[in-house]
């Protein structure tokens, strides 16, 4: 079976390619490398002994996408490609709407023209915005609070309407919580920009000596230690969740939205301490002001994934931190230039 992975050179995409290739799928990657480096594909090949077909193309480029579908009989699309920085989306909303929505619309046109039955969509817990309660189930109200989250919410709506008009097809909308960590080999991981927005890559840069300390964004939240609580999930568990979603989608029609999380919340300081014990390296930090837009607590109820997909996260927080440290130690500058 042949799977088109858009954004397959990225962090989650490349880890998903490893699991797909190891499971015997044929993999075609479409990625224009605007936010990733082709070295990741070399690492995928090193790990699996197989190299995906690779097209350096913009997923919004309909002619380029149609060339891929005419050269390969695609059975499943996993759509990762998209911008994902919350802060940047606030500063440049149109860039986010144009890219994240147009890429999805192009792929839906291709699904219709080339008779592709199944779509797995990379959605996000950001569609929940400030959750009414935790743990969060899939029927929690959707009220994204930033343009990035709104592109994921609108993407879900567009896909639902498309699937309603094509009842023989199927879509699974996967709502990721906080992906962290790296492949056990230590040669595949998150290649982040100089100053990462997210917690784990920032900690990785601190222990790599790129920053003197971590800034903890507020310790006055209504949480056990006052710092923000999130549902961190190992990126390899997340990747395996996509394979379980493919199996489910091939046996069903219609649209399902499913949380991919562990169901356990950890605070910022929990992560700091777990990283220190996993690495044996201190993680100095200072407490600073809250970051605007942050929720105090956000973690998943992952029972629907277990019931429908037969999937649950297996890696614990120490595994996540150990794999993140292993990646950073071996690749202090990520994939380099
Ligand atoms: C986690 C916690 C921060 C950095 C983001 C976005 C989105 C989504 C998942 C794709 C919070 C605290 C962080 C730092 C800190 N990805 N923090 N110092 O905001 O929960 O979710 O990632 O869909 O990109 O929604 O993740 O890692 O930014 O923050 O104290 O330098 O760590 O306040 O409590 P977030 P995060």
């Amino acid at each position: 079976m042949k799977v088109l992975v858009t954004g397959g050179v990225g962090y989650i995409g490349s880890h998903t390619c490893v699991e797909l290739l190891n499971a015997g799928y044929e993999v075609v990657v479409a990625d224009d490398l605007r936010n990733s480096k082709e070295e990741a594909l070399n690492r995928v090949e090193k790990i699996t002994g197989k190299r995906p077909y690779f097209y350096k193309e913009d997923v919004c480029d309909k002619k380029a996408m149609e060339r891929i579908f005419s050269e390969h009989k695609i059975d499943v699309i996993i759509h990762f490609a998209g911008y994902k920085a919350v802060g940047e989306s606030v500063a440049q909303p149109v860039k986010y709407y144009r890219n994240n929505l147009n890429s999805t619309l192009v792929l839906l046109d291709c699904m219709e023209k080339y008779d592709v039955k199944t779509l797995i969509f990379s959605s996000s817990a950001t569609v929940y915005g400030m959750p009414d309660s935790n743990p969060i189930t899939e029927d929690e109200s959707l009220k994204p609070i930033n343009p990035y989250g709104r592109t994921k919410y609108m993407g879900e709506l567009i896909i639902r309407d498309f699937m309603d008009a094509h009842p023989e097809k199927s879509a699974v909308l996967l709502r990721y919580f906080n992906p962290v960590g790296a492949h056990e080999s230590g040669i595949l991981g998150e290649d982040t920009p100089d100053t990462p927005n997210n917690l784990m890559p920032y900690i990785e840069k601190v222990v790599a000596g790129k920053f003197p300390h971590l800034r903890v964004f507020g310790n006055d939240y209504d949480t056990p230690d006052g710092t923000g609580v999130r549902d961190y999930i190992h990126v390899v568990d997340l990747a395996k969740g996509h394979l379980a979603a493919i199996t489910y989608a091939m046996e069903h029609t219609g649209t399902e939205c499913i949380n991919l999380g562990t169901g356990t919340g950890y605070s910022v300081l929990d992560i700091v301490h777990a990283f220190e014990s996993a690495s044996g390296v201190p993680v100095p930090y200072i407490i600073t002001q809250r970051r605007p837009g942050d929720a105090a607590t956000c973690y998943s109820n992952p029972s629907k994934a277990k019931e429908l997909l037969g999937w649950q996260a297996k890696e614990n927080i120490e595994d996540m931190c150990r794999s993140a440290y292993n990646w950073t130690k071996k690749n202090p500058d990520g994939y380099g230039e």
Side-chain angles (χ1 to χ4, degrees):
M1 188 146 65
K2 200 170 269 188
V3 182
L4 170 64
V5 181
T6 73
V9 186
Y11 173 44
I12 304 171
S14 57
H15 283 83
T16 304
C17 286
V18 165
E19 300 307 321
L20 288 166
L21 291 167
N22 284 342
Y25 290 95
E26 283 190 275
V27 177
V28 179
V29 168
D31 194 312
D32 63 6
L33 304 181
R34 69 178 76 177
N35 265 341
S36 54
K37 294 169 188 152
E38 194 171 350
E39 175 58 23
L41 288 188
N42 299 334
R43 310 293 178 90
V44 168
E45 184 176 12
K46 204 165 178 183
I47 291 166
T48 65
K50 305 172 205 169
R51 191 178 187 87
Y53 297 95
F54 174 49
Y55 293 80
K56 183 176 178 295
E57 296 291 358
D58 178 351
V59 183
C60 294
D61 180 341
K62 193 167 182 181
K63 287 227 171 314
M65 288 302 111
E66 290 187 338
R67 178 177 150 238
I68 295 173
F69 284 91
S70 56
E71 291 178 2
H72 298 274
K73 176 69 182 88
I74 300 294
D75 301 291
V76 179
I77 300 169
I78 306 182
H79 181 29
F80 288 111
Y83 291 130
K84 68 171 184 84
V86 168
E88 186 186 52
S89 79
V90 174
Q92 303 180 63
V94 172
K95 168 181 169 181
Y96 272 66
Y97 287 117
R98 180 176 293 112
N99 184 54
N100 291 8
L101 298 184
N102 279 351
S103 58
T104 302
L105 292 168
V106 164
L107 291 171
L108 294 176
D109 280 339
C110 291
M111 282 189 83
E112 187 167 21
K113 183 170 182 180
Y114 297 94
D115 190 25
V116 179
K117 174 180 181 292
T118 298
L119 170 66
I120 310 298
F121 178 65
S122 167
S123 190
S124 166
T126 42
V127 300
Y128 297 117
M130 295 287 187
D132 299 325
S133 61
N134 285 286
I136 302 171
T137 59
E138 288 81 354
D139 50 23
E140 162 91 19
S141 59
L142 304 185
K143 44 193 184 314
I145 57 171
N146 55 65
Y148 163 72
R150 283 191 274 273
T151 69
K152 291 300 184 181
Y153 174 51
M154 292 174 190
E156 290 195 9
L157 294 178
I158 291 168
I159 291 166
R160 277 188 185 282
D161 287 343
F162 176 84
M163 291 299 157
D164 289 349
H166 298 82
E168 76 289 356
K169 298 185 188 293
S170 66
V172 177
L173 316 173
L174 295 176
R175 293 173 180 166
Y176 312 153
F177 279 72
N178 290 56
V180 294
H183 187 266
E184 61 186 0
S185 63
I187 64 169
L188 193 70
E190 187 172 10
D191 183 56
T192 52
D194 292 343
T195 307
N197 300 307
N198 299 137
L199 177 66
M200 189 66 88
Y202 200 100
I203 290 175
E204 292 174 34
K205 297 263 185 197
V206 169
V207 301
K210 310 285 185 193
F211 297 110
H213 51 248
L214 168 72
R215 297 157 303 161
V216 175
F217 296 147
N219 68 344
D220 57 350
Y221 286 102
D222 181 15
T223 62
D225 64 16
T227 63
V229 171
R230 296 291 185 275
D231 185 335
Y232 298 94
I233 176 172
H234 197 294
V235 66
V236 174
D237 274 331
L238 195 71
K240 290 175 178 173
H242 288 71
L243 274 70
I246 289 174
T247 303
Y248 175 84
M250 295 304 281
E251 294 161 0
H252 295 81
T253 58
T255 306
E256 278 297 350
C257 60
I258 298 178
N259 289 338
L260 290 188
T262 65
T264 304
Y266 286 100
S267 75
V268 176
L269 293 183
D270 288 335
I271 299 297
V272 168
H273 299 142
F275 200 100
E276 289 179 326
S277 69
S279 65
V281 174
V283 179
Y285 65 86
I286 59 169
I287 304 293
T288 64
Q289 291 300 313
R290 293 182 175 190
R291 180 173 64 178
D294 272 355
T297 300
C298 177
Y299 63 91
S300 71
N301 176 328
S303 53
K304 186 174 178 182
K306 187 160 171 41
E307 283 150 27
L308 286 194
L309 308 183
W311 170 94
Q312 65 182 36
K314 295 203 173 3
E315 305 295 323
N316 63 34
I317 202 68
E318 286 73 28
D319 300 324
M320 296 179 215
C321 293
R322 191 174 309 110
S323 67
Y325 180 59
N326 188 33
W327 155 253
T328 295
K329 209 168 45 178
K330 293 181 176 173
N331 307 269
D333 297 314
Y335 295 127
E337 288 316 313

mmCIF file of all heavy atoms in Angstrom, residues 49 77 82 106 110 135 146 149 189 204 254 298 317 321:
data_model
loop_
_atom_site.group_PDB
_atom_site.id
_atom_site.type_symbol
_atom_site.label_atom_id
_atom_site.label_comp_id
_atom_site.label_asym_id
_atom_site.label_seq_id
_atom_site.Cartn_x
_atom_site.Cartn_y
_atom_site.Cartn_z
ATOM 1 N N GLY A 49 16.698 1.462 6.206
ATOM 2 C CA GLY A 49 17.283 0.792 5.038
ATOM 3 C C GLY A 49 16.491 1.048 3.767
ATOM 4 O O GLY A 49 16.770 0.476 2.709
ATOM 5 N N ILE A 77 -3.415 9.403 2.168
ATOM 6 C CA ILE A 77 -2.667 10.658 2.344
ATOM 7 C C ILE A 77 -2.564 10.947 3.844
ATOM 8 O O ILE A 77 -3.584 10.871 4.552
ATOM 9 C CB ILE A 77 -3.390 11.851 1.679
ATOM 10 C CG1 ILE A 77 -3.563 11.624 0.182
ATOM 11 C CG2 ILE A 77 -2.630 13.153 1.945
ATOM 12 C CD1 ILE A 77 -4.511 12.650 -0.466
ATOM 13 N N GLY A 82 2.395 22.122 6.880
ATOM 14 C CA GLY A 82 1.673 23.312 7.346
ATOM 15 C C GLY A 82 2.532 24.104 8.300
ATOM 16 O O GLY A 82 3.494 23.578 8.868
ATOM 17 N N VAL A 106 -6.121 21.584 -1.986
ATOM 18 C CA VAL A 106 -5.468 20.931 -3.141
ATOM 19 C C VAL A 106 -5.515 19.414 -2.983
ATOM 20 O O VAL A 106 -5.843 18.674 -3.920
ATOM 21 C CB VAL A 106 -4.008 21.423 -3.281
ATOM 22 C CG1 VAL A 106 -3.203 20.496 -4.204
ATOM 23 C CG2 VAL A 106 -3.989 22.855 -3.820
ATOM 24 N N CYS A 110 -7.331 16.419 -5.217
ATOM 25 C CA CYS A 110 -6.591 15.241 -5.719
ATOM 26 C C CYS A 110 -7.254 13.948 -5.264
ATOM 27 O O CYS A 110 -7.305 12.967 -6.020
ATOM 28 C CB CYS A 110 -5.142 15.284 -5.247
ATOM 29 S SG CYS A 110 -4.185 16.605 -6.017
ATOM 30 N N PRO A 135 -9.649 15.988 32.100
ATOM 31 C CA PRO A 135 -9.057 15.753 30.770
ATOM 32 C C PRO A 135 -10.024 16.106 29.642
ATOM 33 O O PRO A 135 -11.239 16.072 29.825
ATOM 34 C CB PRO A 135 -8.737 14.256 30.785
ATOM 35 C CG PRO A 135 -9.710 13.673 31.748
ATOM 36 C CD PRO A 135 -9.930 14.701 32.806
ATOM 37 N N ASN A 146 -6.138 31.276 18.509
ATOM 38 C CA ASN A 146 -5.095 31.920 17.676
ATOM 39 C C ASN A 146 -5.256 31.443 16.235
ATOM 40 O O ASN A 146 -5.882 30.402 15.985
ATOM 41 C CB ASN A 146 -3.700 31.573 18.229
ATOM 42 C CG ASN A 146 -3.470 30.078 18.351
ATOM 43 O OD1 ASN A 146 -3.438 29.359 17.344
ATOM 44 N ND2 ASN A 146 -3.374 29.579 19.572
ATOM 45 N N GLY A 149 -4.429 27.739 15.497
ATOM 46 C CA GLY A 149 -5.473 26.806 15.944
ATOM 47 C C GLY A 149 -6.701 26.893 15.053
ATOM 48 O O GLY A 149 -7.354 25.892 14.756
ATOM 49 N N GLY A 189 15.356 13.554 14.991
ATOM 50 C CA GLY A 189 14.742 14.321 16.081
ATOM 51 C C GLY A 189 14.180 15.617 15.581
ATOM 52 O O GLY A 189 13.955 15.787 14.375
ATOM 53 N N GLU A 204 16.406 21.471 25.490
ATOM 54 C CA GLU A 204 17.504 20.803 24.768
ATOM 55 C C GLU A 204 18.598 21.807 24.418
ATOM 56 O O GLU A 204 19.800 21.534 24.519
ATOM 57 C CB GLU A 204 16.968 20.140 23.503
ATOM 58 C CG GLU A 204 16.043 18.947 23.756
ATOM 59 C CD GLU A 204 15.403 18.407 22.486
ATOM 60 O OE1 GLU A 204 16.050 18.440 21.423
ATOM 61 O OE2 GLU A 204 14.242 17.961 22.563
ATOM 62 N N GLY A 254 -16.468 7.905 6.348
ATOM 63 C CA GLY A 254 -16.849 9.054 7.177
ATOM 64 C C GLY A 254 -15.647 9.660 7.889
ATOM 65 O O GLY A 254 -14.493 9.332 7.588
ATOM 66 N N CYS A 298 -3.819 21.635 30.333
ATOM 67 C CA CYS A 298 -4.385 21.087 29.094
ATOM 68 C C CYS A 298 -3.858 19.668 28.925
ATOM 69 O O CYS A 298 -2.674 19.483 28.664
ATOM 70 C CB CYS A 298 -3.964 21.969 27.915
ATOM 71 S SG CYS A 298 -4.531 21.360 26.322
ATOM 72 N N ILE A 317 7.433 9.678 30.685
ATOM 73 C CA ILE A 317 8.077 11.005 30.589
ATOM 74 C C ILE A 317 9.601 10.876 30.640
ATOM 75 O O ILE A 317 10.317 11.627 29.974
ATOM 76 C CB ILE A 317 7.535 11.940 31.700
ATOM 77 C CG1 ILE A 317 7.751 13.397 31.311
ATOM 78 C CG2 ILE A 317 8.093 11.592 33.063
ATOM 79 C CD1 ILE A 317 6.917 13.846 30.133
ATOM 80 N N CYS A 321 12.223 12.319 27.806
ATOM 81 C CA CYS A 321 13.365 13.199 28.113
ATOM 82 C C CYS A 321 14.686 12.538 27.714
ATOM 83 O O CYS A 321 15.568 13.197 27.143
ATOM 84 C CB CYS A 321 13.387 13.541 29.597
ATOM 85 S SG CYS A 321 11.998 14.565 30.102
#
